[in-house]
Amino acid sequence: MTRIDSTPAPASATEAITVHAASAVEGSWWRDAVIYQVYPRSFADSNGDGVGDLPGVTAHLDHLVELGVDALWLSPFYRSPQKDAGYDVADYRDVDPLFGTLEDFDVLLEAAHARGVRVVVDLVPNHTSDQHVWFQAALAAEEGSPERGRYLFRDGRGAGGEEPPNNWQSIFGGPAWTRTTRADGTPGQWYLHLFDSSQPDLDWSNPEVRSEFEDVLRFWLDRGVDGFRVDVAHGMVKADGLPDWDGHVAMVDGTETPDADGTEAVNGSGNSGPMFDQDGVHEIYRAWRRILDEYEGDRAMVAEAWVEPLSRLARYVRPDEMHQAFNFSFLVAGWDAARLRGVVESSFRANDAVGAPTTWVLSNHDVVRHASRLGLAEPENRPNGLFATDPQPDAELGLRRARAASLLMLGLPGSSYVYQGEELGLPEHTTLEDVVRQDPAFFRTGGAEAGRDGCRIPMPWAVDAPAYGFSPDGAAWLPQPASYAAHAADVERATPGSTFDLYRTALRVRKAEALGTGDLAWLGVFADDPHVVALRNRDVVVLANLGDAPVALPPGAEVLVASGELTDDAGATAVPSDTAVWYRA
Ligand code: GLC
């Protein structure tokens, strides 16, 4: 094993540095599952209204089967005024007509199960829509009434109550409080919304709120879902008295700082303050876990919790709580070998301590797609969307790195999440016109942040069809960039070496080699290398070259899959810059 530059191999060249032992726990599908996120409004539109729907998902299930994923997670499809693309739920027990009907859901579930694909649904418990019957009843009810007690209504500060009850800011920008108007037209109390004003926060100290959501869980478990992705899982319990906070609610900027005892890197992926990660939240998940455990079939929950450091996040996946939590520290680690290794190690240290599998994720519906993010001048930066006037990502470099990053991710033990379209190498839409934007973050920041629309563009299914086959008639709720033609699924499925082909091959090998339940040891020769991440998982070496100099494979290495063309260097197979490979030595 040599690097093709002048760096001498350290004495420990042949040593392997063990980080994680192979999983001894058998039979829990979620421990090593590859879970595909379907964002229904952008997946496939069956009825021509320009918005994807549940029958559209059913129609494309074979794409997921061919890809080789174990499960799909559906972002919200419930009744909703769609002020935050469905994360504002008006009825937790019904499908929005935009997406179809409950019968359509049952058909999808059955069709997925018939293909051996599990289905995870999204649960949004931190807030409801302002159109939910509870909130409408609260607005109509007296101050101090039980109806108001399901939410966080408070009197304002100042003589006439004209100041918000505290200084919290919404994650989407602007104050986290909106003032109500009484029936007689005079200004009334304020209500809390950590997100848009159309998303009032529930009061989780109210037992009625708890029992309602336990009932919602049962509703979907009875229908046969395999699990839940829990939205804003770190936000439901707020500190007593809702104290002022001088920090910033918005996600921090990705700078790396050591934690208090200096042993664990934090990566700026966390939300902090009196509205997040309060100890009381764990009791809710213990109660939910007891409900899931009553059901047959190994149902699972995954926390969306922007919490750090990772040891703190691991509290959500203790044996009697959730099964998984998204590992956003990996997502924000950028394209930096030392930082990636640091996150991998911290992840295993924290999760192994509680016996939970680690998850890995690079893209979702809230962040700039990694095929574009990794092509930015500073890939560890995580802008909330991009404007056409911003410095644009290098598309070719971004895709090259994205493919390498994905191959690295899929070679790690644990469970991986794949966001729809990343298997096609889709870039972010970075030149959307402001008139088509829909993300409340764009509006609430007065247009200062582009928001998340650019990662939510409708999928390209067929290169020669209107809207690239997204809808029967070419309608699409957001326009697709011309660059999507080259990524259309029909082309990629048929093209050896395409990004789809890479994912398909990687998932097949991952399964055959049982990498998801494997072990992890750093290859000693690269353990401190600033440009190479190299690990052994069972019999497979996973090596990503993030530097400029090619890295030679050992003689006789059997390459299983590579994210790009390998080169020949004086008779040795070499991994060029921004490329990853799996091989058996
Ligand atoms: C989560 C969702 C995001 C949504 C927010 C409010 O972060 O992933 O899309 O806007 O919660 O529900």
Side-chain angles (χ1 to χ4, degrees), residues 398-443:
L399 179 57
R400 188 178 173 81
R401 287 179 172 171
R403 290 168 57 114
S406 298
L407 196 59
L408 171 63
M409 170 177 87
L410 295 171
L412 295 170
S415 170
S416 279
Y417 279 81
V418 172
Y419 176 47
Q420 69 178 43
E422 71 171 76
E423 80 282 15
L424 305 175
L426 287 189
E428 183 88 358
H429 195 325
T430 57
T431 56
L432 276 176
E433 291 188 39
D434 288 350
V435 289
V436 304
R437 292 191 192 281
Q438 307 213 9
D439 185 353
F442 172 74
F443 298 103

Side-chain angles (χ1 to χ4, degrees), residues 155-229:
D155 293 333
R157 295 202 277 206
E162 65 281 356
E163 296 293 327
N166 70 23
N167 69 355
W168 296 1
Q169 298 292 298
S170 154
I171 288 202
F172 292 159
W177 295 91
T178 291
R179 196 167 193 186
T180 59
T181 306
R182 297 196 182 96
D184 65 4
T186 58
Q189 287 186 305
W190 299 72
Y191 66 89
L192 178 72
H193 51 87
L194 291 183
F195 294 89
D196 188 52
S197 56
S198 64
Q199 295 166 293
D201 279 50
L202 288 160
D203 184 349
W204 274 86
S205 68
N206 184 334
E208 201 188 345
V209 172
R210 295 194 182 220
S211 69
E212 167 67 2
F213 274 88
E214 292 179 8
D215 200 65
V216 170
L217 283 179
R218 290 184 190 282
F219 177 86
W220 292 102
L221 290 167
D222 289 340
R223 276 203 120 75
V225 303
D226 297 286
F228 301 91
R229 176 265 190 189

Side-chain angles (χ1 to χ4, degrees), residues 1-2 7-17 522-527 534 536:
M1 168 73 45
T2 48
T7 318
S12 58
T14 53
E15 225 177 81
I17 301 154
W522 300 127
L523 295 201
V525 64
F526 295 118
R536 184 183 289 279

Side-chain angles (χ1 to χ4, degrees), residues 166-176 194 234 243-255 268-276 306 308 382 384 444-445 448-449:
N166 70 23
N167 69 355
W168 296 1
Q169 298 292 298
S170 154
I171 288 202
F172 292 159
L194 291 183
H234 57 318
D244 272 348
W245 190 50
D246 293 333
H248 217 23
V249 177
M251 291 157 193
V252 286
D253 66 355
T255 18
S269 63
N271 294 165
S272 51
M275 64 297 284
F276 288 121
W306 292 83
E308 60 184 3
R382 206 163 46 85
N384 191 12
R444 288 189 62 89
T445 58
E449 288 187 3

Side-chain angles (χ1 to χ4, degrees), residues 84 87 127 172 195 229 231-232 304 365-366 452 456:
D84 183 22
Y87 281 95
H127 44 265
F172 292 159
F195 294 89
R229 176 265 190 189
D231 190 61
V232 198
E304 187 227 15
H365 65 293
D366 290 330
R452 301 160 294 176
R456 300 173 172 181

Side-chain angles (χ1 to χ4, degrees), residues 42 48 61 64 80 143 156 201 225 285 328 393 429 437 442 463 551:
S42 301
L61 280 175
L64 306 189
S80 160
E143 297 172 9
D201 279 50
V225 303
Y285 301 133
F328 294 121
H429 195 325
R437 292 191 192 281
F442 172 74
V463 64
V551 177

Side-chain angles (χ1 to χ4, degrees), residues 81 89 101 171 478 490:
V89 180
T101 62
I171 288 202
L478 283 174
D490 60 347

